[in-house]
Amino acid sequence: MSKMKVLHLLDSVNRGGAETIALDVCRNAGKYGIDLTVAVSGSGTLEDDFRRSGADFIRLKRKLPVDPFLVLKLRRIIKKRRIGIVQGYQAVEALHLYLATIGLPVKRVFSLQGFIPGRKNRLAARFLIPRMDANIAVSRGLEKWLKEEFDLRETENFRLIYNCTDPQRLKPGGRSVKAELGLGENARLIGMVANFTPDQTKDQLTVCRAAPEVLAHFEEAHFVFAGRIAEGGGEAKIGECREFCVREGIAGRVHFLGARDDVPDILASLDVFVFSSLYEGLPIAVTEAMLAGVPLVLSDIEPLLEVSDGGNCAEIFPVKNAGALSGKIIKLLEDEDLRKDLAARAHRFAAENFSIEAHIRKLKKLYRTLLEN
């Protein structure tokens, strides 16, 4: 059987959840009979990684919010390469693919990664979802939110395909985060990996508010936050966190690491991974921590309950409840057997449900169904 010819469009290749997933797919698609072309309409730190991924890489430019020149370029690529399926990860990508494929025998897929911020993005998503051949929801909780948000209860073109992580990408490189911070090997590290973004999805401030009680309980404990500071609002969010830490006298034990390319080394150094969030699809940072064997504490929103097998693979705390969060962290740090048990359960569940193999098999099955229909 000939390979399926598929085009994925990305708005940028900066390090983020959707881009990391797309990169993992690029590196593995050929093994599963998918002839993948990835087009990128903006630059980013992962461009060299995409060029080396094994997928055909095409660098384009988008100069306008809706760029007719980009639409024409995409249409030429689709026709020349005889692409049968196109897929976008954001509303802006899916819109350009929709316009580029009007009148062509091409199936359209929109992979919805999570909470959709901004009025324009929501308007675009409302327009696109009914016009796609398939909409991928990365969790049941996200699908439920999307259907309620856009009044799509009767829509039948949703497919559940969990986000993925390639375990090969999680091998530590040998850097010591503790040594970098000037800490001894006996130091306890609690960490969160998430970008500081303008929207209210990620909630690093609640983790900061939980820190004083934990740090008072364990003299050798430190907190680390890894993540890019997004322009247009991320600065204010991290500023609020820093101000709180200074005010509480814990600034020397709470470390903001910024954007990092050594997440596997960070995960390997952590005693506890925390993910505090208000809205999610299915966060790649959590599945990475699960596959890396780090015990987790997660906020009790539906997608995080789903990713943790209903809380069976993690300690769960109520959203924005810093007191409950500090209690969960202290509980884990005091009980090594519990940490090991939670980490082992999380690793097993993630390997079965969130591996790159599971993701691409389901993706290929969806593609085949669309092409046959």
Side-chain angles (χ1 to χ4, degrees), residues 5-26:
K5 293 184 177 293
V6 180
L7 171 70
H8 284 194
L9 177 63
L10 295 170
D11 188 45
S12 74
V13 283
N14 283 311
R15 192 173 299 276
E19 293 80 8
T20 301
I21 294 161
L23 181 56
D24 282 348
V25 171
C26 287

Side-chain angles (χ1 to χ4, degrees), residues 219-240:
E219 291 184 358
E220 75 281 18
H222 289 252
F223 280 74
V224 295
F225 292 88
R228 178 174 56 87
I229 304 169
E231 296 179 358
E235 303 92 340
K237 184 178 284 189
I238 193 172
E240 190 175 9

